[in-house]
Amino acid sequence: MPQRAIFKSITDESWAQMCLLTAQGHHRRVACRIAGISKSTLSRYLQRAAAEAAVDSESIGARRLDLLDRAEAADAMTLEELGLKHAKAGNWQAVEFFLKRRHEAEYGDLG
């Protein structure tokens, strides 16, 4: 399948840099800015990549979405480890607040 213009607008190097920064704990918005990817470009890219991935799990969009998912999982694991360290020291409330704000779907209130 030929690459469409949206897939050419984000280079492999920019995508890799964004994923690395995300895995290191940077918010996606900050990681994109550092990697030179605009918010609107990323938004369009994610929509089109998801549509392409639904059709072809080996597509460039599918592979890049997988890399981003792994980077965000690594970030969450790092935050959980940090949370355990601070919880042992009696400072769990700040970490709880941060996790709920950063990863609302996973750590938000259930009520």
Side-chain angles (χ1 to χ4, degrees), residues 3-96:
Q3 288 186 355
R4 294 185 299 265
I6 190 70
F7 295 109
K8 292 180 181 179
S9 66
I10 302 176
T11 65
D12 288 340
E13 293 80 16
S14 294
W15 192 263
Q17 183 180 23
M18 183 191 70
C19 289
L20 177 63
L21 290 165
T22 300
Q24 292 173 343
H26 294 279
H27 191 277
R28 187 187 288 181
R29 181 182 68 248
V30 173
C32 283
R33 188 172 182 101
I34 293 170
I37 302 168
S38 74
K39 182 179 175 181
S40 60
T41 297
L42 181 67
S43 178
R44 286 191 315 271
Y45 183 90
L46 292 174
Q47 289 176 348
R48 292 181 183 172
E52 184 179 272
V55 175
D56 181 4
S57 64
E58 297 299 317
S59 67
I60 188 171
R63 291 192 311 266
R64 285 185 173 183
L65 288 176
D66 182 58
L67 287 173
L68 183 58
D69 285 344
R70 290 171 187 250
E72 289 176 341
D75 170 48
M77 288 174 46
T78 301
L79 291 173
E80 288 172 1
E81 291 168 3
L82 178 66
L84 290 174
K85 177 182 173 186
H86 285 281
K88 289 178 182 177
N91 301 323
W92 60 269
Q93 293 91 344
V95 177
E96 176 191 31

